[in-house]
């Protein structure tokens, strides 16, 4: 009976977390349209709640504050990485997995309106990133590069954590620049070119480099 109670409690807790996660996601998606017409600094908590048809109390149940709401948008990308992108990164050649990860990031980001991205970036400046390396956005490319090094597909002379940080900084830089220029160029193409340059710089000496598409 005790084991059954523990199992039931565990399942119930898991279902509650999934329910809360789905509710948070629903709120975020329902607010997107409002974000397209109002700048971040001008959006009030009440306006966000009206857009999602929720009470202010419900908003604060799921989000710490206005900046916290925008930060939670990252959770949608983390879900995409783990649920859709990660299952496709199964190539024995980790270089292909790396390029596919970067392409997946670019494709997903390209689906956002540049105004939303600007709002996200403005909120990130005041947000603590102490747990960032635990996110799939950091963890997955870290594991890909680590495996590539173990398989001798890239040079052993590089620190994987430093490489991953440099990659994430660069990817964000491209997105910021793309949003700054009102999405005036092909983000997917530019990030692919960058990813090829990045991974070619890590290849073992004398090994044939990847050709840009």
């Amino acid at each position: 009976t005790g084991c059954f109670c523990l199992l039931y409690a565990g399942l119930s807790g898991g279902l509650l977390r999934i329910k809360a996660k789905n509710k948070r996601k629903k709120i975020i998606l329902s607010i997107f349209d409002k974000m397209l017409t109002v700048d971040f600094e001008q959006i009030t908590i009440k306006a966000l709640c009206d857009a999602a048809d929720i009470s202010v109390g419900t908003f604060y149940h799921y989000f710490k504050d206005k900046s916290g709401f925008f930060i939670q948008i990252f959770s949608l990308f983390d879900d995409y990485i783990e649920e859709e992108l990660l299952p496709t990164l199964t190539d024995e050649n980790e270089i292909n997995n790396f390029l596919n990860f970067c392409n997946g990031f670019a494709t997903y980001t390209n689906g956002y309106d540049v105004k939303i991205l600007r709002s996200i970036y403005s909120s990130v400046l005041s947000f603590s990133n102490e747990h960032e390396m635990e996110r799939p956005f950091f963890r997955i490319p870290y594991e890909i590069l680590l495996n590539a090094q173990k398989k001798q597909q890239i040079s052993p002379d590089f620190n994987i954590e430093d490489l991953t940080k440099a990659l994430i900084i660069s990817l964000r830089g491209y997105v910021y620049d793309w949003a700054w220029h009102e999405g005036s160029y092909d983000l997917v193409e530019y990030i692919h070119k960058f990813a090829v340059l990045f991974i070619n710089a890590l290849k073992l000496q004398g090994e044939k480099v990847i050709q840009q598409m």
Side-chain angles (χ1 to χ4, degrees), residues 20-149:
K21 177 179 177 181
N22 290 338
K23 177 64 175 180
R24 185 181 293 110
K25 183 175 182 179
K26 182 179 179 180
I27 293 173
I28 292 172
L29 292 175
S30 65
I31 292 175
F32 270 2
D33 286 342
K34 184 70 175 180
M35 292 170 59
L36 292 176
T37 58
V38 183
D39 291 335
F40 170 74
E41 296 297 337
Q42 298 175 332
I43 298 178
T44 64
I45 297 295
K46 184 178 185 307
L48 293 175
C49 293
D50 290 344
D53 194 25
I54 59 173
S55 68
V56 173
T58 298
F59 179 90
Y60 281 111
H61 176 74
Y62 290 101
F63 310 103
K64 182 179 179 180
D65 51 27
K66 188 170 68 172
S67 292
F69 162 76
F70 286 100
I71 296 303
Q72 283 297 319
I73 294 177
F74 288 132
S75 68
L76 300 183
F77 179 56
D78 289 336
D79 290 345
Y80 163 75
I81 292 177
E82 292 198 299
E83 296 170 8
E84 299 184 41
L85 186 55
L86 183 58
T88 70
L89 307 177
T90 57
D91 200 306
E92 280 299 312
N93 188 336
E94 300 295 343
I95 305 304
N96 291 334
N97 291 330
F98 174 83
L99 295 175
N100 288 335
F101 173 85
C102 293
N103 180 70
F105 165 79
T107 302
Y108 181 88
T109 306
N110 193 57
Y112 279 89
D113 186 276
V114 293
K115 292 182 180 179
I116 292 179
L117 291 173
R118 287 180 177 178
S119 296
I120 294 173
Y121 271 86
S122 65
S123 64
V124 167
L125 295 176
S126 61
F127 178 72
S128 171
N129 62 352
E130 58 181 322
H131 301 297
E132 179 162 75
M133 288 189 290
E134 300 172 9
R135 292 181 55 212
F137 184 40
F138 184 94
R139 178 170 45 83
I140 301 305
Y142 175 90
E143 292 173 356
I144 291 173
L145 291 170
L146 182 62
N147 289 333
Q149 200 171 65

Side-chain angles (χ1 to χ4, degrees), residues 94-95 97-99 101-102 138 141-142 144-146 148-149 153-155 158-172 174 190-204 209-212:
E94 300 295 343
I95 305 304
N97 291 330
F98 174 83
L99 295 175
F101 173 85
C102 293
F138 184 94
Y142 175 90
I144 291 173
L145 291 170
L146 182 62
Q149 200 171 65
Q153 295 171 351
I154 63 173
S155 171
F158 298 99
N159 178 280
I160 299 302
E161 183 172 322
D162 289 343
L163 284 178
T164 309
K165 288 179 179 178
L167 171 69
I168 299 306
I169 290 170
S170 299
L171 291 176
R172 284 177 172 161
Y174 269 95
Y190 270 71
I191 284 186
H192 174 75
K193 289 180 178 179
F194 158 76
V196 170
L197 290 172
F198 186 94
I199 204 66
N200 277 339
L202 310 181
K203 302 284 280 184
L204 294 170
V209 299
I210 303 166
Q211 298 298 316
Q212 292 191 7

